[in-house]
Amino acid sequence: MDTQKQSNNSSSDLKARITEHVQELAQATDAARVSQEMQHYLDMCASFHQYSPCNVWLILMSRPSASYVAGFKRWQSMGRYVQKGEHGIPILAPIITTITNEKGEDEQRLVGFKVVYVFDVSQTDGEPLPEPPDWKSPEKNAALQEKLLHFAQSKGVQVQIKSIGRDIQGVSLGGKVILDPEAGTKTLIHEIAHELLHHVKNVLTDNTYRELEAESVAYVVARHFGLNGLSSPNYNALHGATADLILEHLERIRNTAAEIINAIE
């Protein structure tokens, strides 16, 4: 009976600590969202066109290292200029025409596509673009990392450590995680959280929800085991999370964090 009572108390204490950490992260995320550094960076990001998956593929086929891409005139409007001799990246732009429908109303209709050219920031000179607020958490804990690897294995998740490129720290593929050698231990927790939460039936399709859940779980577990230098508020803010959204997902975050913590301890 005493053992059962201690177990219940321990479970209740852990639940309370996790809730406290999630609330702490939620408040810090909202603070990060309104910081001058974040606003400056997000304003810059908003000035770039969101390309279709097809055009993203075309861009990466032509220039795998591409990061910020825009047309000639858009770069000029941002105080940057395409360097002499640079060749544009071909993409497809829709051709829209206005027709009169059966009701006599004007409506726009897609009639085809044409090739236009865009340029990566590396092909331009001029006013520097603002850097993103620090979103990485580089601290490594060898003992914790080893336990996390064993936990992942127990869940049927293979972890492969290799360079990913394009400033990507980790990738969750469903049964497999790829971790960049430079990534911190918190990133491993983040990708394991994706594996537990987002490769199942009825998965959340919204990227903001997926990222805030995985990052919040990673933050809670990292805080529990004493990792420092956590930039989770910036990471969440950069992915569109808010305090309210994080708290809406409290139960899923709390349950997943508790599962990882209990397995490791």
Side-chain angles (χ1 to χ4, degrees):
M1 180 68 72
D2 289 342
T3 302
Q4 181 65 42
K5 183 181 292 186
Q6 289 177 352
S7 176
N8 289 340
N9 287 339
S10 176
S11 176
S12 177
D13 289 345
L14 178 59
K15 182 177 180 179
R17 288 198 302 274
I18 290 174
T19 301
E20 182 179 341
H21 289 327
V22 174
Q23 291 171 337
E24 169 189 276
L25 175 60
Q27 294 174 0
T29 297
D30 268 2
R33 282 168 52 84
V34 299
S35 69
Q36 184 175 4
E37 182 184 19
M38 183 67 71
Q39 288 300 311
H40 191 198
Y41 178 75
L42 293 179
D43 287 345
M44 182 272 292
C45 289
S47 67
F48 287 94
H49 179 73
Q50 298 298 307
Y51 293 100
S52 68
C54 174
N55 277 334
V56 169
W57 180 79
L58 289 173
I59 290 167
L60 294 180
M61 285 288 290
S62 296
R63 199 176 188 90
S65 62
S67 55
Y68 295 110
V69 173
F72 189 90
K73 290 184 178 180
R74 177 63 61 88
W75 280 122
Q76 284 185 325
S77 71
M78 298 173 68
R80 295 187 67 86
Y81 305 90
V82 175
Q83 298 166 4
K84 187 176 180 179
E86 288 289 349
H87 297 286
I89 303 167
I91 62 171
L92 297 175
I95 301 173
I96 306 294
T97 188
T98 300
I99 65 167
T100 303
N101 62 24
E102 297 83 358
K103 298 178 181 180
E105 300 169 335
D106 288 343
E107 65 177 35
Q108 292 188 321
R109 180 170 296 179
L110 174 66
V111 295
F113 293 88
K114 63 181 177 180
V115 175
V116 298
Y117 294 90
V118 294
F119 300 86
D120 182 57
V121 62
S122 62
Q123 298 175 280
T124 68
D125 283 323
E127 292 293 324
L129 298 180
E131 294 292 326
D134 190 12
W135 56 270
K136 298 178 183 177
S137 303
E139 183 177 346
K140 297 184 180 182
N141 181 311
L144 178 57
Q145 188 108 349
E146 189 65 26
K147 291 179 180 179
L148 287 164
L149 291 174
H150 284 303
F151 173 71
Q153 186 177 28
S154 75
K155 292 293 184 179
V157 177
Q158 173 194 358
V159 179
Q160 182 179 6
I161 299 178
K162 71 173 186 179
S163 180
I164 303 173
R166 292 180 56 79
D167 210 25
I168 298 172
Q169 298 282 284
V171 180
S172 164
L173 299 171
K176 182 178 180 179
V177 163
I178 300 177
L179 194 69
D180 191 89
E182 300 300 316
T185 300
K186 192 215 68 178
T187 299
L188 176 56
I189 305 170
H190 177 106
E191 301 307 335
I192 289 174
H194 272 310
E195 291 289 320
L196 297 176
L197 285 164
H198 304 138
H199 292 285
V200 295
K201 286 185 177 181
N202 302 318
V203 64
L204 296 170
T205 56
D206 188 286
N207 186 61
T208 295
Y209 295 160
R210 293 198 304 270
E211 291 305 320
L212 77 83
E213 287 190 343
E215 186 63 17
S216 298
V217 169
Y219 176 84
V220 167
V221 176
R223 286 275 282 117
H224 182 86
F225 289 106
L227 289 176
N228 297 309
L230 303 177
S231 298
S232 296
N234 280 347
Y235 185 95
N236 276 345
L238 286 168
H239 285 83
T242 65
D244 287 343
L245 279 179
I246 292 171
L247 295 177
E248 284 178 15
H249 293 256
L250 173 61
E251 195 66 23
R252 284 169 58 86
I253 295 166
R254 187 164 54 199
N255 290 344
T256 306
E259 179 182 357
I260 298 173
I261 291 169
N262 285 326
I264 290 176
E265 288 188 331

